[in-house]
Amino acid sequence: MNTTALAEALDTAAREGRPLAGGASGLNDIREAYAVQDALVARRLARGERITGFKLGFTSRAKMRQMGVSDLIHGRLTDRMEIADGGRLDVSGLIHPRVEPEVAFLLGETLRPGTHPAAAVTAVAPALEVIDSRYDGFRFSLPEVIADNTSAAAYALGPWTSPRDLGDLGNLGVLLELDGRLAETGSTAAVLGHPLRALAAAARLAGELPPGTVILAGAATAAVPLPPGTHVRATVAGLGTVALTTEEDA
Protein backbone atom coordinates (compact mmCIF):
# COMPACT_ATOMS: atom_id res chain seq x y z
CA MET A 1 0.00 0.00 0.00
CA ASN A 2 1.54 3.33 -1.01
CA THR A 3 1.80 6.47 1.14
CA THR A 4 -1.34 8.15 -0.17
CA ALA A 5 -3.45 5.00 0.01
CA LEU A 6 -2.41 4.17 3.58
CA ALA A 7 -2.98 7.74 4.75
CA GLU A 8 -6.45 7.64 3.21
CA ALA A 9 -7.19 4.26 4.80
CA LEU A 10 -6.11 5.46 8.26
CA ASP A 11 -8.09 8.68 7.86
CA THR A 12 -11.19 6.74 6.84
CA ALA A 13 -10.76 4.32 9.75
CA ALA A 14 -10.63 7.24 12.18
CA ARG A 15 -13.60 9.06 10.67
CA GLU A 16 -15.78 5.96 10.42
CA GLY A 17 -14.61 4.19 13.59
CA ARG A 18 -13.72 1.01 11.73
CA PRO A 19 -10.29 -0.50 12.43
CA LEU A 20 -7.72 -1.74 9.95
CA ALA A 21 -5.90 -5.03 10.28
CA GLY A 22 -2.47 -4.46 11.80
CA GLY A 23 0.38 -5.88 9.75
CA ALA A 24 -1.58 -5.74 6.52
CA SER A 25 -0.13 -2.45 5.28
CA GLY A 26 3.26 -3.82 4.29
CA LEU A 27 4.84 -0.77 5.90
CA ASN A 28 8.26 -1.55 7.36
CA ASP A 29 10.36 1.61 6.97
CA ILE A 30 10.42 4.41 9.57
CA ARG A 31 10.97 7.19 7.03
CA GLU A 32 8.06 5.95 4.95
CA ALA A 33 5.95 5.78 8.12
CA TYR A 34 6.52 9.46 8.86
CA ALA A 35 5.71 10.28 5.24
CA VAL A 36 2.35 8.54 5.75
CA GLN A 37 1.83 10.47 9.00
CA ASP A 38 2.53 13.73 7.17
CA ALA A 39 0.01 12.83 4.48
CA LEU A 40 -2.54 11.80 7.11
CA VAL A 41 -2.19 15.08 9.04
CA ALA A 42 -2.32 17.02 5.76
CA ARG A 43 -5.77 15.54 5.11
CA ARG A 44 -6.96 16.90 8.47
CA LEU A 45 -5.51 20.32 7.77
CA ALA A 46 -7.24 20.38 4.40
CA ARG A 47 -10.54 19.99 6.27
CA GLY A 48 -9.80 23.11 8.31
CA GLU A 49 -7.95 21.81 11.33
CA ARG A 50 -4.80 23.55 12.52
CA ILE A 51 -1.72 22.24 14.26
CA THR A 52 -1.61 23.06 17.98
CA GLY A 53 1.05 20.77 19.31
CA PHE A 54 3.53 17.95 19.22
CA LYS A 55 3.35 14.67 21.13
CA LEU A 56 5.92 12.07 22.07
CA GLY A 57 5.57 8.33 22.43
CA PHE A 58 7.70 5.55 23.89
CA THR A 59 9.13 7.93 26.50
CA SER A 60 9.22 5.03 28.95
CA ARG A 61 12.44 3.02 28.80
CA ALA A 62 10.45 -0.11 29.63
CA LYS A 63 8.13 0.53 26.68
CA MET A 64 11.12 1.03 24.38
CA ARG A 65 12.53 -2.32 25.44
CA GLN A 66 9.13 -3.97 25.03
CA MET A 67 8.81 -2.65 21.46
CA GLY A 68 12.47 -3.31 20.63
CA VAL A 69 13.20 0.31 19.74
CA SER A 70 15.92 2.72 20.82
CA ASP A 71 14.29 6.07 20.09
CA LEU A 72 11.07 7.96 20.67
CA ILE A 73 8.28 8.41 18.19
CA HIS A 74 6.29 11.59 17.63
CA GLY A 75 3.02 12.84 16.25
CA ARG A 76 0.97 16.01 15.82
CA LEU A 77 -1.93 17.53 17.77
CA THR A 78 -4.68 19.64 16.20
CA ASP A 79 -7.29 22.02 17.55
CA ARG A 80 -10.07 19.48 16.88
CA MET A 81 -8.38 17.08 19.30
CA GLU A 82 -8.45 19.48 22.25
CA ILE A 83 -11.11 19.00 24.95
CA ALA A 84 -11.68 21.74 27.52
CA ASP A 85 -10.67 20.91 31.08
CA GLY A 86 -13.77 19.40 32.67
CA GLY A 87 -15.39 19.05 29.27
CA ARG A 88 -17.05 16.16 27.51
CA LEU A 89 -15.62 13.84 24.88
CA ASP A 90 -17.90 11.95 22.52
CA VAL A 91 -16.33 8.50 22.17
CA SER A 92 -19.02 7.04 19.92
CA GLY A 93 -16.81 7.49 16.87
CA LEU A 94 -13.69 6.07 18.49
CA ILE A 95 -12.63 2.44 18.14
CA HIS A 96 -11.10 1.47 21.49
CA PRO A 97 -10.06 4.63 23.36
CA ARG A 98 -7.60 4.63 26.23
CA VAL A 99 -6.43 7.46 28.46
CA GLU A 100 -3.13 8.30 30.11
CA PRO A 101 -1.88 11.17 32.31
CA GLU A 102 0.91 13.40 31.06
CA VAL A 103 2.76 16.66 31.63
CA ALA A 104 2.24 19.36 29.01
CA PHE A 105 4.58 22.21 28.16
CA LEU A 106 3.65 25.47 26.43
CA LEU A 107 6.40 27.13 24.44
CA GLY A 108 6.91 30.87 24.84
CA GLU A 109 10.00 30.89 22.63
CA THR A 110 11.11 28.83 19.64
CA LEU A 111 12.46 25.46 20.74
CA ARG A 112 15.57 24.53 18.76
CA PRO A 113 17.89 21.54 18.90
CA GLY A 114 20.91 21.96 21.11
CA THR A 115 19.43 24.75 23.27
CA HIS A 116 18.40 24.33 26.88
CA PRO A 117 14.74 23.27 26.58
CA ALA A 118 13.55 24.90 29.82
CA ALA A 119 14.41 28.35 28.43
CA ALA A 120 11.70 28.00 25.76
CA VAL A 121 8.94 27.01 28.20
CA THR A 122 6.45 29.62 29.37
CA ALA A 123 4.02 27.32 31.25
CA VAL A 124 3.49 23.75 32.44
CA ALA A 125 0.20 21.88 33.01
CA PRO A 126 -1.23 18.49 33.91
CA ALA A 127 -2.71 16.79 30.86
CA LEU A 128 -4.78 13.84 29.72
CA GLU A 129 -4.17 12.19 26.38
CA VAL A 130 -6.77 9.95 24.79
CA ILE A 131 -5.24 7.46 22.39
CA ASP A 132 -7.17 5.32 19.92
CA SER A 133 -5.26 3.10 17.55
CA ARG A 134 -6.85 2.76 14.14
CA TYR A 135 -5.60 -0.85 14.03
CA ASP A 136 -7.73 -3.72 15.27
CA GLY A 137 -7.04 -4.69 18.87
CA PHE A 138 -4.28 -2.11 19.28
CA ARG A 139 -1.98 -4.49 17.37
CA PHE A 140 0.51 -2.85 15.05
CA SER A 141 4.15 -2.66 14.04
CA LEU A 142 6.35 0.29 14.94
CA PRO A 143 6.08 1.87 11.46
CA GLU A 144 2.31 1.38 11.53
CA VAL A 145 1.80 3.27 14.80
CA ILE A 146 4.00 6.10 13.52
CA ALA A 147 1.92 6.28 10.33
CA ASP A 148 -1.22 6.40 12.50
CA ASN A 149 0.00 9.65 14.10
CA THR A 150 1.05 7.65 17.19
CA SER A 151 -2.60 6.79 17.97
CA ALA A 152 -3.43 10.43 18.85
CA ALA A 153 -7.15 11.03 19.38
CA ALA A 154 -7.77 13.81 21.92
CA TYR A 155 -6.19 15.71 24.79
CA ALA A 156 -7.18 17.96 27.68
CA LEU A 157 -5.03 20.48 29.51
CA GLY A 158 -5.30 21.56 33.12
CA PRO A 159 -4.38 25.00 34.43
CA TRP A 160 -1.11 26.43 33.21
CA THR A 161 1.55 27.29 35.80
CA SER A 162 4.65 29.38 35.24
CA PRO A 163 7.82 27.31 35.58
CA ARG A 164 9.09 30.01 37.93
CA ASP A 165 6.44 28.92 40.42
CA LEU A 166 7.43 25.25 40.28
CA GLY A 167 10.15 23.17 41.82
CA ASP A 168 11.84 20.25 40.13
CA LEU A 169 9.54 18.38 37.73
CA GLY A 170 11.69 15.28 37.82
CA ASN A 171 9.81 13.11 40.32
CA LEU A 172 6.27 14.36 40.88
CA GLY A 173 3.57 11.91 41.89
CA VAL A 174 0.85 11.20 39.30
CA LEU A 175 -2.61 9.77 39.94
CA LEU A 176 -5.17 8.65 37.37
CA GLU A 177 -8.76 8.22 38.59
CA LEU A 178 -11.80 6.86 36.79
CA ASP A 179 -15.17 7.64 38.37
CA GLY A 180 -13.41 8.53 41.60
CA ARG A 181 -11.53 5.23 41.81
CA LEU A 182 -7.77 5.08 41.57
CA ALA A 183 -6.79 3.41 38.30
CA GLU A 184 -3.04 4.08 38.02
CA THR A 185 -0.25 5.72 39.98
CA GLY A 186 3.08 6.84 38.65
CA SER A 187 5.71 9.55 38.56
CA THR A 188 6.91 12.13 36.11
CA ALA A 189 10.25 10.31 36.35
CA ALA A 190 8.68 7.69 34.06
CA VAL A 191 9.08 10.21 31.22
CA LEU A 192 12.72 9.61 30.25
CA GLY A 193 13.74 10.09 33.88
CA HIS A 194 12.70 13.75 33.68
CA PRO A 195 10.03 15.43 31.49
CA LEU A 196 12.46 18.12 30.32
CA ARG A 197 14.36 15.40 28.48
CA ALA A 198 11.23 14.93 26.38
CA LEU A 199 11.47 18.58 25.36
CA ALA A 200 15.05 18.12 24.22
CA ALA A 201 13.95 15.06 22.26
CA ALA A 202 11.08 17.01 20.68
CA ALA A 203 13.52 19.66 19.47
CA ARG A 204 15.82 17.01 18.05
CA LEU A 205 13.00 15.21 16.25
CA ALA A 206 11.10 18.24 14.98
CA GLY A 207 14.09 20.42 14.20
CA GLU A 208 12.29 23.51 15.47
CA LEU A 209 8.99 24.15 17.25
CA PRO A 210 7.44 27.65 17.32
CA PRO A 211 6.07 29.67 20.25
CA GLY A 212 2.53 28.66 21.19
CA THR A 213 3.19 24.96 20.61
CA VAL A 214 1.84 22.54 23.20
CA ILE A 215 4.09 19.54 23.82
CA LEU A 216 2.75 16.39 25.47
CA ALA A 217 5.83 14.86 27.05
CA GLY A 218 4.65 11.26 27.23
CA ALA A 219 2.67 8.99 29.53
CA ALA A 220 3.47 8.90 33.24
CA THR A 221 1.47 5.67 33.75
CA ALA A 222 0.06 2.85 31.66
CA ALA A 223 -2.95 3.76 29.52
CA VAL A 224 -6.34 2.46 30.66
CA PRO A 225 -9.54 1.77 28.66
CA LEU A 226 -11.97 4.67 28.51
CA PRO A 227 -15.60 3.60 28.03
CA PRO A 228 -18.49 6.03 27.57
CA GLY A 229 -20.00 7.55 30.68
CA THR A 230 -16.67 7.75 32.52
CA HIS A 231 -15.32 10.68 34.48
CA VAL A 232 -11.53 10.68 34.36
CA ARG A 233 -9.20 12.87 36.36
CA ALA A 234 -5.43 13.15 36.47
CA THR A 235 -3.51 14.77 39.31
CA VAL A 236 0.13 15.77 39.06
CA ALA A 237 1.60 16.82 42.39
CA GLY A 238 2.48 20.50 42.33
CA LEU A 239 0.66 21.10 39.05
CA GLY A 240 -2.96 20.32 39.90
CA THR A 241 -5.67 18.36 38.14
CA VAL A 242 -7.28 17.96 34.75
CA ALA A 243 -10.51 16.11 33.98
CA LEU A 244 -12.94 15.11 31.27
CA THR A 245 -16.07 13.00 30.98
CA THR A 246 -16.83 10.64 28.12
CA GLU A 247 -20.22 10.30 26.51
CA GLU A 248 -21.72 8.45 23.59
CA ASP A 249 -23.89 10.44 21.22
CA ALA A 250 -26.90 8.29 20.50
Side-chain angles (χ1 to χ4, degrees):
M1 192 178 294
N2 64 32
T3 297
T4 301
L6 182 52
E8 181 178 1
L10 286 165
D11 190 39
T12 300
R15 297 180 73 186
E16 298 181 355
R18 294 189 297 180
L20 304 176
S25 67
L27 189 64
N28 55 25
D29 181 83
I30 299 299
R31 284 177 297 180
E32 290 178 5
Y34 278 113
V36 175
Q37 183 189 118
D38 289 343
L40 174 63
V41 173
R43 294 176 68 88
R44 301 184 69 130
L45 300 184
R47 293 196 293 268
E49 299 184 42
R50 60 181 179 84
I51 297 291
T52 54
F54 189 88
K55 59 156 290 188
L56 294 163
F58 296 164
T59 51
S60 159
R61 300 296 186 190
K63 188 66 173 179
M64 281 189 195
R65 289 193 297 270
Q66 179 186 346
M67 293 297 294
V69 299
S70 58
D71 202 357
L72 313 182
I73 61 175
H74 62 276
R76 300 305 196 278
L77 305 173
T78 77
D79 59 325
R80 300 274 179 87
M81 296 181 186
E82 185 173 359
I83 307 299
D85 184 14
R88 306 186 75 83
L89 170 65
D90 180 10
V91 295
S92 60
L94 301 182
I95 299 168
H96 31 213
R98 301 178 184 179
V99 65
E100 52 196 28
E102 305 205 9
V103 172
F105 294 97
L106 178 63
L107 299 184
E109 303 289 342
T110 300
L111 179 63
R112 295 183 174 90
T115 60
H116 195 286
V121 174
T122 191
V124 188
L128 288 166
E129 185 185 5
V130 177
I131 57 175
D132 185 41
S133 174
R134 268 58 71 166
Y135 299 106
D136 192 27
F138 258 92
R139 293 185 295 271
F140 43 71
S141 66
L142 177 63
E144 284 177 329
V145 69
I146 291 170
D148 189 26
N149 197 27
T150 66
S151 303
Y155 68 100
L157 304 171
W160 291 110
T161 301
S162 168
R164 293 187 298 274
D165 299 329
L166 298 172
D168 184 16
L169 295 172
N171 190 23
L172 303 179
V174 179
L175 304 177
L176 182 64
E177 298 171 279
L178 271 63
D179 293 330
R181 296 186 296 273
L182 187 62
E184 291 285 340
T185 63
S187 165
T188 56
V191 183
L192 296 177
H194 196 298
L196 283 177
R197 292 176 183 160
L199 280 182
R204 175 175 57 83
L205 294 167
E208 189 173 286
L209 290 167
T213 299
V214 172
I215 299 177
L216 295 184
T221 75
V224 299
L226 188 59
T230 301
H231 178 75
V232 56
R233 181 175 67 174
T235 303
V236 181
L239 284 180
T241 65
V242 56
L244 60 82
T245 300
T246 59
E247 60 186 6
E248 192 165 36
D249 187 359

